[in-house]
Amino acid sequence: MAKKQSLHNEMKLLTKYLISDSSENAKRPLLYPFFQKLYPEKFKIENDAKGADGYVEGVFILETKTDSSVWLAGFYQALHYHRQSGLVYQLILVIASKFVGVWRVNQIPEHAFLLYHSASPLDAPSFVGKNNARKTPQHVKKEIEEAALYFIEPKRFDKILQKNEAVSFGFDGKNNFPLFGIDFLWYEVTKILTEADAGRIQIDTHNFINQIELLKEFFDHPIEAVHAFYTLIAYWDITSTLAVNDYTGEVQLVGFKGRKLSDPIAVKPALQNRFKKFVENRYIFTNEGSGLTVDYYFSRFDEVMSRIDPEYVKQHGIFFTDVNLSRFALWFAKRILGEQVNEMYIFFDPAGGSGNLISSWRGKQKHKIISELQPDLLRIIERRMRIDPWHVEKGFTIIPKTSENKGLNFLDCDAITYIAELEKELKLKNLELNKPFAFLLNPPYKNTDEHESARESADANYTIHPSILELTGDDAGKERYLAFLGQILNLSKHQAENQADCEPVVMIFTPTSWLIPRPTYVSFREKWDRHFQFLDGFIVTSNEFFKLKGKWPLAFTVWKYHRDDSRTNRVNLYDFTEMTTTQFKNVNWALNDEELNFQVGIDFEKEPKVLFTSERKDIRETIPEIEIENYRKKQTRYDFSRAKKKNEAGKLVSGFPLKDELRHYKLSRTCGSPDGEFIGFMDDNTPVRLNQERLNRFTQKPDRVWLQLRPTFIDVNLTKVQTGPADKYAYTAYDLLSAKTLFTWFCITKAVIQKYPIWANQFNIWMSEFPGELEANWHAHCFAFVLAENRCVVTKFEKDNPVEGAPEVFADNPLCPANPDAFWSTTLDSHVTREHRAAFDLVSAIKQLYKHWNLNYCQGQFLYDTGLHDEPYFRYFDYTDFLTPYSGLIQIRKYAEIHNLQDLQEQFSTISTLTRKVRDELYRLLVEEGRYFG
C-alpha cells in the first residue's frame, strides 16, 4: 500500500473532473494525479493496463465515462478485463460526470456474474460493457447499485455540492489535510482503495469524526448522526450486521456474533439499505490490551460536537472537559480532600456534558449522580456509563431517566424542589442523600444576554429560578456558570441546615472573572465567601484543552462549605498555563497513587502561584481630574453613541455625513448629532458631528489628543489614538499630567499584545510604577510611540451636511511635530531628549519626514486631488480630497503607497523599524525593570 501523504490538491482536481462537461479524454489530466500519488509506480493506464483507464494489480480497476447515464456499461466493461486480459483486482471503480461507484468484486449480484461469464473472452471490453448493460433488467440494475461499497449519482452529488460551504471543517487524521464538503467523497474512496484487503473499513481514532460526518446524510439533524454513532459504537465489531424491524421501521446493530444488540435507531425507510451497507462495511477499532476502549471515543465527544454541530455547542456554551485534564484535576483535588473521599461524599455533576469529568475518577467515587440540562447530552452520558463495567458495578444514577426525553434543568427550580427530585430518583434504587454533596462539574460558560432566536433554535433557552438570581443579581445571572454556582450555594446551604456536620465540597471549572472578582460579580462573591472556604486551585490555558478559538485562563477551584460571615477568600491559584496536552500523553492514570504522583511529576513547592484579587490599582483611578468652572471633576470615558429610541427609527438623527446612508438608517444606535460643531471619529476614521459634552472636553484646536482605551487585558488590541473622540471608551489628553497617564495606558496595551501572561486576561489594566529616573524614560518612550502609532487625520466636515445650517468644521492634527500649535509641540516635545535614545531617534525620524514632506511636496500649501478620495475621512463629502503640511502620518503613508513614492516609503520604513525598537523598550521597561506582572 502507498505511503500515507497529503492528497488534498489531487482531490481538488478530481472534483473538477466530476464537475467538468468536457469529454473524458480532454479532462484526464485532472484524473490521473490522484491515483499516481496514491499508488506511485503501481498505477498503470491504457496500454500498460491492457486498455483499461486505470489499474493497480491486485487492488482495483478504473473505468471512466463522460456521461453518468452509462455507468452500468462502465461497470461491466471493467469487470470484463479479468476475463479478456487476466487482470487481477478486488475493486471496480467507475467515474463519470457527477458519478462515482465502487464495487467489491466478490460482492456483486449473481445476475451480473452470469452476464460476465456469458460474454466471449475475445470480445472487446467496451462492446461487452454496452451489451451487458442493455441485457440487464431494471431490478438487477438496482441490485448492482445497492451492492456498491460507494455510490454517488448526480442527484446526490449536487446535493453534497450545494452544502459544500456549510460543511464543517475537518482533518483526515492520517494524511493531515483539510476536508470541506465534497472532499469527504474522495476521503471515503481513498479509505476503500487503500484498505482493499480488509473485509471492512476500519473506524479508528484518526478517522471516526469523519465517519460521523458521512453519517449525517442519513438523518435530518446533525445531532441525530452523533446519537446514531454512539448508539452503535459498543456493538460495532467485525461481525456486526444490521437488523431491520419491519414493524417499527427501526434498525438495530447485532454484534459480537449475535451476542450483543444495540438500542434501536430510526432511519428513513428509503435510506435503510444504504445505511445497512454503510454500517456493515465498517467496524470500530479497539484494543483492550493497550487501553483503547470504546470509552475513548466517548471521551472525544467534544471534538465530535464542535465539528458536527458547532452551532449547538456555541448556543449551549458547552466546552466539554478534556479527559486528561479531568483526570489531572481530580488527582489535584485528591491532595486536598484526602484518600477517603469516596466514603465521605455523594458525587454529583449537574452539567454532565460528555461524562469525561464524572467518569474520570475511578476508584475515588462510589455511587454518582449525573444530570444534564440537555436530553441529547444526557443520552450520550447514559450510553457511556452503561457500556463501562466499572460504572455499572459501582453504580450511577442518571437524572432524569432518558426515557422521559427531557433534561433536568439545574437552574429552573428552587433548592428544596430540586433535592426532592433527586431523592425521588435515588429512592428507586434504595439509596439516600445521607452524605454531603461533592459537586464536580464543568458548567456552561455561555452568556445569555444575546441572540435569543439562535438559542431557541438550538433549544438553549434556560429559565433561571428567582432564588438563584437573588444571589447572583440579574446581570451576573446571565452568565450560566455563575447561575450554577448560585444553585450550588442554595443546595449546600439547605443540606448543611438539615444534616448535622454536613459540609459539601465543590470542584468546578470556570473562567476567572468571578474569582478576582470583576465588578459584576463582587456582590455574589461576598455571599459565596460567607458560605464557602477556598481550599486550592489552578489555572490552565483554555484552547490547549478545549476545541475553541479563544485563549483565556480556565480555573479549577476546590471549595468546602463552612459558614463564616466574616470570611473574604483570597484566591491563590497555581499557574499551569504552560501545561500542554502532551504532558499527559504517557501518564497511566490507573497506577497506584505513589507511582501516579511520580509520573505526573509536579513539585508544588516550586510551582508559581497567582493571587486573584482586585487589589491592583485600576489605571482608570489614576486619571487626573479636570478643572471646570473653578471645581474639579473626574474624567470619565466618553461615548457618543446610544440606543435609538423608537421614534428615531428610519430618521436622520446621527452626525454621520449625509452620504453615509448605511450608518444613518441601518445602525440600531444613534451617534452624535446632525448639527454638531465638533468632530469625532468611528474606528475607520469616518467623521461624526458632535455637540459639546458635559465636561467641555471638545475643542476645534489641535491642542489635545483623543484615545480609545479599554480597561481589560483581553481588549488590548482595541485601543487607538485619533484626532477626535471615538464612539466609545474615549478619553482626552489635554495637558502633560493627563498625557502621562493616558499614554501610559495606551502603551501598556500595545507593549503587551500577545505577550501578557494568560492569568491576566480578565484583570483590569493597572498603573505601572517606575523608580527614580526610569519614570521619565518611560514617559519619553510613551510619547514617542504615540507620535508614531497614532491614527490622527486632517479633514473637514463640510457645511450644511447632513442637515441645513450645520457649520463647516476643520479637524487638524494634534500630533504633528511641524505644527507649532499642535499638542505635541506645545506640551510633549521637550520631554523627549537625546538621553532617551530610541525615543529620541524615532521622534527625529518623524520630524525629518514632515520636513521632507513639506519641502518636496506641500511647499507650505494644500495638495488637492491626492488620490485619497475613497478614504473614510473624505469618502462621503463633495469637496476635493486634500493633504496639508500637517496631515496625519497614515494619510501621508497612504499617499506614498498610491503614487509609489520611494523617498517617502523609505522614510516610513525607517520609522517602522524605530517604532518596533521603542515598543520593545517599552516592554522591557514595563516587565523587566518595572516588574509589572510580578
Side-chain angles (χ1 to χ4, degrees), residues 643-654:
K644 275 186 178 176
K645 300 173 183 176
K646 288 184 179 180
N647 62 357
E648 292 178 328
K651 297 180 181 179
L652 196 154
V653 292
S654 291

Side-chain angles (χ1 to χ4, degrees), residues 576-733:
F576 294 149
T577 51
E578 298 299 317
M579 185 181 287
T580 65
T581 53
T582 56
Q583 287 180 237
F584 299 129
K585 189 174 182 181
N586 298 315
V587 173
N588 182 357
W589 299 99
L591 293 173
N592 63 51
D593 289 345
E594 185 176 342
E595 292 176 307
L596 181 56
N597 293 345
F598 177 78
Q599 273 205 5
V600 175
I602 290 180
D603 185 347
F604 286 97
E605 296 297 322
K606 297 180 180 179
E607 292 296 332
K609 299 191 84 170
V610 178
L611 185 62
F612 278 76
T613 72
S614 55
E615 294 171 6
R616 296 175 179 89
K617 193 171 185 179
D618 190 323
I619 198 167
R620 289 173 293 185
E621 296 177 19
T622 67
I623 300 174
E625 294 178 324
I626 297 175
E627 188 168 333
I628 304 171
E629 297 175 356
N630 299 321
Y631 65 96
R632 303 179 69 84
K633 284 188 177 181
K634 182 177 178 60
Q635 180 175 185
T636 54
R637 86 181 202 193
Y638 174 70
D639 302 335
F640 65 63
S641 73
R642 59 170 175 79
K644 275 186 178 176
K645 300 173 183 176
K646 288 184 179 180
N647 62 357
E648 292 178 328
K651 297 180 181 179
L652 196 154
V653 292
S654 291
F656 300 115
L658 185 61
K659 291 181 180 178
D660 192 358
E661 295 182 1
L662 185 65
R663 287 193 178 103
H664 268 302
Y665 302 112
K666 298 296 182 182
L667 279 186
S668 61
R669 303 189 67 78
T670 296
C671 297
S673 175
D675 59 354
E677 299 178 359
F678 304 94
I679 299 181
F681 292 89
M682 301 299 286
D683 283 344
D684 65 353
N685 259 333
T686 295
V688 184
R689 285 187 181 273
L690 307 174
N691 286 323
Q692 185 62 269
E693 53 91 42
R694 64 183 184 84
L695 296 182
N696 294 321
R697 283 176 284 185
F698 296 164
T699 175
Q700 292 182 355
K701 299 176 182 178
D703 60 353
R704 61 198 59 198
V705 179
W706 284 88
L707 303 93
Q708 180 180 163
L709 298 169
R710 306 295 182 107
T712 58
F713 282 97
I714 195 174
D715 290 328
V716 292
N717 61 325
L718 299 177
T719 56
K720 297 179 181 66
V721 179
Q722 294 172 290
T723 305
D727 65 316
K728 51 189 173 296
Y729 296 100
Y731 300 86
T732 187

Side-chain angles (χ1 to χ4, degrees), residues 102 115 172 174 241 253 321 326 339 454 529 537 761 795 844 891:
V102 187
L115 286 175
D172 177 333
K174 292 183 178 178
T241 57
L253 191 63
T321 319
S326 300
E339 296 295 329
D529 284 359
N761 176 276
T795 187
S844 298
Q891 294 177 291

Side-chain angles (χ1 to χ4, degrees), residues 828-874:
L828 304 180
D829 187 56
S830 62
H831 296 276
V832 183
T833 62
R834 290 186 183 277
E835 64 184 277
H836 302 130
R837 297 180 184 176
F840 183 79
D841 290 344
L842 177 57
V843 171
S844 298
I846 294 171
K847 287 179 177 179
Q848 177 58 36
L849 172 79
Y850 271 104
K851 183 176 180 180
H852 182 85
W853 166 246
N854 193 13
L855 288 175
N856 293 278
Y857 293 94
C858 292
Q859 297 178 342
Q861 306 299 311
F862 279 38
L863 289 181
Y864 293 97
D865 286 320
T866 61
L868 273 63
H869 53 276
D870 287 330
E871 294 302 301
Y873 41 82
F874 290 137

Side-chain angles (χ1 to χ4, degrees), residues 44-103:
K44 300 176 181 179
I45 62 173
E46 298 174 348
N47 291 338
D48 292 337
K50 306 296 184 181
D53 292 325
Y55 172 63
V56 174
E57 183 177 359
V59 183
F60 71 92
I61 191 163
L62 167 67
E63 189 58 45
T64 63
K65 295 295 177 185
T66 301
D67 196 300
S68 63
S69 64
V70 294
W71 69 263
L72 188 59
F75 166 82
Y76 280 117
Q77 183 174 340
L79 189 59
H80 189 67
Y81 281 106
H82 173 67
R83 188 166 177 78
Q84 183 216 43
S85 305
L87 298 185
V88 179
Y89 43 86
Q90 299 177 62
L91 302 170
I92 293 171
L93 176 58
V94 177
I95 298 179
S97 176
K98 300 183 179 181
F99 178 90
V100 180
V102 187
W103 289 264

Side-chain angles (χ1 to χ4, degrees), residues 150-187:
Y150 202 71
F151 193 88
I152 293 282
E153 38 73 40
K155 187 176 180 180
R156 282 184 69 199
F157 181 88
D158 286 338
K159 189 176 180 180
I160 293 172
L161 199 63
Q162 288 168 6
K163 292 183 177 180
N164 197 42
E165 296 301 320
V167 170
S168 303
F169 178 87
F171 278 95
D172 177 333
K174 292 183 178 178
N175 290 337
N176 293 321
F177 54 81
L179 300 171
F180 294 94
I182 205 71
D183 290 338
F184 279 100
L185 182 159
W186 298 120
Y187 167 76

